[in-house]
Amino acid sequence: MKTILQQHFPMIRDREEVLYEIRSRKKFNELFDSWERKYQEEFLDFCTGARGVKLLYDGFFKAVMDPESKPERLEEQLE
């Protein structure tokens, strides 16, 4: 059964589909298996839409929106 998010975004796969894709490709499988279990779960959550990416904690976001270097960027977003 599709989740509400999958109903609106049909390109979102369920967990089994993502795991099948990973397991069917040797390089993907090796890389995935090299990760700690918590990072595997986090990746699967991102891929299935169960969890979003924390943009505000992202290093690139922090650099671009740094109020000390370019205060107008942040001000524009807050308006």
Side-chain angles (χ1 to χ4, degrees), residues 4-30:
I4 293 173
L5 195 57
Q6 287 172 321
Q7 290 173 10
H8 295 287
F9 300 96
M11 74 290 286
I12 295 176
R13 300 176 180 181
D14 63 27
R15 189 179 189 88
E16 291 75 26
E17 291 173 314
V18 174
L19 282 171
Y20 176 80
E21 189 75 27
I22 291 168
R23 299 295 180 213
S24 66
R25 297 190 172 146
K26 185 178 179 185
K27 286 186 178 186
F28 289 173
N29 192 44
E30 289 172 355

Side-chain angles (χ1 to χ4, degrees), residues 4-62:
I4 293 173
L5 195 57
Q6 287 172 321
Q7 290 173 10
H8 295 287
F9 300 96
M11 74 290 286
I12 295 176
R13 300 176 180 181
D14 63 27
R15 189 179 189 88
E16 291 75 26
E17 291 173 314
V18 174
L19 282 171
Y20 176 80
E21 189 75 27
I22 291 168
R23 299 295 180 213
S24 66
R25 297 190 172 146
K26 185 178 179 185
K27 286 186 178 186
F28 289 173
N29 192 44
E30 289 172 355
L31 178 62
F32 187 76
D33 285 343
S34 73
W35 298 343
E36 291 179 35
R37 181 73 176 162
K38 67 180 181 178
Y39 296 120
Q40 291 176 350
E41 292 298 321
E42 184 176 36
F43 179 77
L44 291 171
D45 285 349
F46 290 149
C47 290
T48 59
R51 179 181 197 172
V53 178
K54 297 178 183 176
L55 293 176
L56 298 178
Y57 297 100
D58 180 73
F60 293 109
F61 178 85
K62 286 183 176 183

